Amino acid sequence: MTHLTRSQLDELLQGLRDQAARIAQELPAADLADAIAGEAEALEHRISANDADYFHNEVVAIMHSVWAVETEEGHE
């Protein structure tokens, strides 16, 4: 399978942000991280090795933006 370009990846991540916002409205806070991680995991096979860290960092940022996970003190 062909991996996504960075531009395509950014579009996919925007879709994940939108989806995370909807998930945050529908699920209890305790379930948010697992639900978002599941959505991200379904996309991982499309991410090139060079973009894996970028993808992971963006998914974490998305989780923070909907309060699915808390920022550890000193690790912002």
Side-chain angles (χ1 to χ4, degrees):
M1 170 175 236
T2 304
H3 292 110
L4 299 171
T5 65
R6 182 60 70 97
S7 176
Q8 291 170 321
L9 176 55
D10 286 339
E11 288 179 26
L12 183 135
L13 286 165
Q14 183 57 52
L16 186 59
R17 279 183 197 89
D18 296 342
Q19 193 168 7
R22 285 190 299 274
I23 290 169
Q25 293 175 346
E26 297 170 2
L27 293 179
D31 297 334
L32 292 179
D34 286 339
I36 295 168
E39 295 296 330
E41 188 176 317
L43 304 171
E44 280 184 319
H45 70 281
R46 299 179 63 194
I47 309 305
S48 72
N50 292 340
D51 286 330
D53 287 341
Y54 175 75
F55 178 71
H56 171 74
N57 292 339
E58 290 297 308
V59 171
V60 170
I62 291 167
M63 288 184 177
H64 285 287
S65 74
V66 296
W67 299 95
V69 294
E70 293 182 17
T71 303
E72 293 182 36
E73 199 168 305
H75 292 280
E76 290 186 52

